[in-house]
Amino acid sequence: MFEQATTEWNLEQLYLDLSNAKEQVFPHKKTGLTSTEKLHIQGLLCGNSPTEIANLLVIKPQGLNVALSNTIYRYVEELTGHSLNSLENWREIVNWLEIAGYKTQSSTDWGEAPDITSFYGRTQELAQLQQWIAHDRSRLIALLGMGGIGKTALAVKLVEQIKDEFEIVMWRSLRDTPPLEALFKQLLQYFPNYRNSQINANMAQLLRVLRTYRCLIILDEVEVLLKEYPVGYYCDSYKGYSEFLRRVGTERHQSCVVVISREKPREFTLFESENYPVHSLLLGGLQEESSRGILKDQQLDEGKHWEKLVKLYWGNPLALKTVAAIIRDLFEGSVTQFLKQNTTLFISNEFFEILDQQFTRLSELEAATVCKLATYTHPISISELTEIVSQVKPQTDTIQIIDSLRRRSLLEKVKSSHEALFILHPIIVQYVIRFC
Ligand SMILES: Nc1ncnc2c1ncn2[C@@H]1O[C@H](COP(=O)(O)OP(=O)(O)OP(=O)(O)O)[C@@H](O)[C@H]1O
Ligand SMILES: [Mg+2]
């Protein structure tokens, strides 16, 4: 009975310390915890109320309450530095012991997270995210980038590396747009104080949990909550999420929420800054060296033209994976043959679907700007960009259009020594040329 406590709590140490506390409070009693006392504490640690424990042990609840008041409650008060008879609610026992560090197991609920078996590169990005989350204790992080760029895969690797720093880790995809209350309920069930409570899960309770415990919550596919236009704003029915993220970002607590999205939610535009614990990371393509791993996995031939392939697909892992599968199947793995045949850039159905999803969200003016931009093959400066937008529609707020395309992860910034230059991904150019 109450087996769960043995895996989640360091019972050996707890029994030892409680028996010392017992000696302090009741020096005349026999030393060491009795087996009944151990059973009672385990019952509480599993989140059971005294009445529930009494029912399970088939004893009278009143009798158990008296027993607990004369034993465990007083030992725990002594052990955790609370004054004698200060305990007001049995739930505090679990809280106090958890804060005192007797809980051993951090719990990871992977939800809909995919199992990533092969993963290459991204060491810099992982280091940056670790720095923000583990070192700087950031409260709110966004992982942004166009479809297929590897946001979810990177987040899985990140969680694998840092999960032990948190008491509770919970991954949820918002693909099916769960009501915010359902999400709160799922998280609160990990905490004994709330698990058995009848009160509805609400934001205040959850924020209390985020303050009391160190939790990591990953919300994937957040773009489904956002309006098509203006970028980063929430659909009316999901405004609660916006309020939740705003409070997570601005209030004091010890937890972290990671938001994964193709489009940048507005909280990040509003709050992120170097010295504030809210940050966003915009993912670019994989570097050539790392992309080679993907091509190798697909058993493509000698690496002669791999560099070209990676450049064509801008290091987008999904684009590379799907094109490599085609090369293996139709061209017997020969990249050379594929490049010879393929006069226009091949876009797989899987990748085409992603581009379609992203493009249907653009405003008319944004779409027209992208079509115009697709005719430029070199990186362009901000002044050229502004000029292009005003050619599409004179007297329009050009910066807003450019910013919007950036926030949709469609406009890539390329490094230059003295000014920012921008370019459309070649795959996007190809999509635009063919289908717009
Ligand atoms: N660094 C990597 N090494 C190897 N494979 C990768 C890497 N990053 C991503 N992939 C693979 O590329 C594919 C797309 O990655 P992922 O699903 O993470 O993209 P995403 O940015 O989350 O896309 P979406 O916006 O559609 O959710 C997956 O099959 C994934 O396993
Ligand atoms: Mg994803």
Side-chain angles (χ1 to χ4, degrees):
M1 201 175 280
F2 310 132
E3 192 62 27
Q4 195 188 341
T6 57
T7 55
E8 292 183 356
W9 295 82
N10 184 352
L11 290 184
E12 206 178 318
Q13 188 64 49
L14 179 62
Y15 291 158
L16 198 70
D17 296 347
L18 278 178
S19 108
N20 288 336
K22 178 179 178 179
E23 235 175 292
Q24 296 294 319
V25 197
F26 303 115
H28 57 281
K29 277 195 184 175
K30 214 173 145 207
T31 51
L33 295 187
T34 65
S35 53
T36 312
E37 287 169 343
K38 287 180 183 172
L39 193 63
H40 291 169
I41 186 86
Q42 281 197 32
L44 291 171
L45 294 179
C46 287
N48 297 295
S49 68
T51 311
E52 285 167 333
I53 298 173
N55 288 342
L56 288 165
L57 298 178
V58 201
I59 55 173
K60 286 210 169 86
Q62 279 156 326
L64 180 67
N65 273 325
V66 173
L68 288 170
S69 301
N70 291 328
T71 59
I72 304 296
Y73 291 169
R74 309 291 81 88
Y75 310 162
V76 173
E77 283 166 351
E78 171 68 20
L79 174 63
T80 56
H82 292 84
S83 47
L84 215 57
N85 297 315
S86 61
L87 185 95
E88 288 180 352
N89 189 314
W90 65 269
R91 297 175 200 274
E92 309 248 75
I93 293 288
V94 182
N95 253 349
W96 290 352
L97 291 175
E98 198 162 349
I99 291 165
Y102 289 99
K103 191 149 192 195
T104 51
Q105 195 171 316
S106 69
S107 162
T108 304
D109 172 354
W110 283 100
E112 303 83 1
D115 183 17
I116 305 291
T117 45
S118 79
F119 184 80
Y120 303 98
R122 300 285 193 211
T123 42
Q124 266 183 3
E125 289 90 341
L126 277 168
Q128 174 67 85
L129 290 165
Q130 285 218 17
Q131 165 81 23
W132 282 336
I133 298 174
H135 188 266
D136 304 348
R137 295 236 161 186
S138 297
R139 296 188 287 246
L140 186 60
I141 302 280
L143 204 47
L144 308 167
M146 70 176 295
I149 202 73
K151 303 178 292 295
T152 302
L154 175 61
V156 167
K157 291 295 145 190
L158 174 73
V159 174
E160 283 173 5
Q161 289 184 4
I162 61 171
K163 64 181 179 9
D164 291 342
E165 298 205 10
F166 294 87
E167 290 159 89
I168 296 290
V169 177
M170 191 174 93
W171 180 298
R172 286 292 177 273
S173 164
L174 304 188
R175 194 179 313 140
D176 299 326
T177 54
L180 191 58
E181 290 67 31
L183 197 81
F184 289 171
K185 258 192 191 140
Q186 288 171 14
L187 188 71
L188 290 173
Q189 52 116 3
Y190 287 105
F191 302 94
N193 282 9
Y194 298 94
R195 190 187 302 154
N196 296 330
S197 71
Q198 296 305 311
I199 4 173
N200 289 333
N202 64 40
M203 205 175 295
Q205 279 180 326
L206 190 72
L207 283 152
R208 201 172 313 135
V209 162
L210 300 186
R211 284 194 293 272
T212 316
Y213 305 90
R214 183 143 163 79
C215 311
L216 176 64
I217 305 173
I218 298 99
L219 302 177
D220 196 3
E221 301 180 74
V222 169
E223 68 272 358
V224 298
L225 307 177
L226 303 176
K227 275 184 183 169
E228 290 185 356
Y229 197 84
V231 66
Y233 281 69
Y234 293 76
C235 300
D236 290 345
S237 32
Y238 309 128
K239 284 218 165 111
Y241 276 96
S242 173
E243 171 68 2
F244 171 56
L245 293 181
R246 184 191 65 74
R247 293 188 64 178
V248 166
T250 54
E251 293 184 14
R252 285 168 190 267
H253 57 81
Q254 52 169 330
S255 301
C256 179
V257 174
V258 176
V259 165
I260 305 173
S261 177
R262 292 179 187 172
E263 296 181 359
K264 191 175 191 173
R266 64 193 297 265
E267 292 71 33
F268 295 91
T269 319
L270 292 172
F271 306 121
E272 76 175 309
S273 89
E274 186 69 23
N275 301 318
Y276 198 72
V278 177
H279 299 283
S280 68
L281 181 68
L282 178 62
L283 275 193
L286 277 183
Q287 297 197 333
E288 199 224 318
E289 198 50 41
S290 317
S291 301
R292 283 175 171 264
I294 294 179
L295 305 181
K296 220 180 223 165
D297 279 351
Q298 295 287 346
Q299 294 155 355
L300 300 195
D301 68 2
E302 82 304 334
K304 212 165 92 195
H305 294 298
W306 287 11
E307 192 183 343
K308 189 165 176 196
L309 204 62
V310 173
K311 271 204 182 119
L312 280 175
Y313 291 95
W314 210 253
N316 184 301
L318 182 69
L320 282 170
K321 251 178 124 164
T322 49
V323 77
I326 293 281
I327 296 174
R328 197 190 50 195
D329 186 29
L330 301 185
F331 298 87
E332 297 297 323
S334 167
V335 178
T336 317
Q337 286 304 317
F338 169 75
L339 291 173
K340 245 191 227 165
Q341 297 293 321
N342 197 32
T343 43
T344 52
L345 194 66
F346 164 79
I347 303 178
S348 64
N349 287 340
E350 292 78 5
F351 200 70
F352 179 75
E353 201 181 311
I354 285 183
L355 292 176
D356 235 13
Q357 288 165 2
Q358 291 204 239
F359 266 77
T360 47
R361 296 175 63 80
L362 299 187
S363 71
E364 253 178 58
L365 185 52
E366 283 174 344
T369 305
V370 170
C371 288
K372 185 101 184 154
L373 279 174
T375 59
Y376 289 73
T377 49
H378 62 278
I380 43 185
S381 68
I382 192 82
S383 48
E384 277 178 287
L385 256 175
T386 338
E387 181 60 35
I388 292 164
V389 182
S390 19
Q391 278 170 21
V392 174
K393 189 175 180 207
Q395 298 199 325
T396 188
D397 190 345
T398 51
I399 303 290
Q400 197 188 51
I401 301 296
I402 298 164
D403 178 51
S404 186
L405 291 175
R406 280 286 290 159
R407 289 204 219 170
R408 292 186 195 275
S409 321
L410 293 177
L411 200 57
E412 186 94 1
K413 198 193 263 186
V414 286
K415 293 240 174 339
S416 139
S417 50
H418 54 285
E419 63 174 343
L421 295 176
F422 298 88
I423 191 164
L424 277 187
H425 295 232
I427 341 174
I428 296 179
V429 171
Q430 200 51 232
Y431 171 88
V432 171
I433 292 171
R434 255 187 264 174
F435 304 104
C436 285

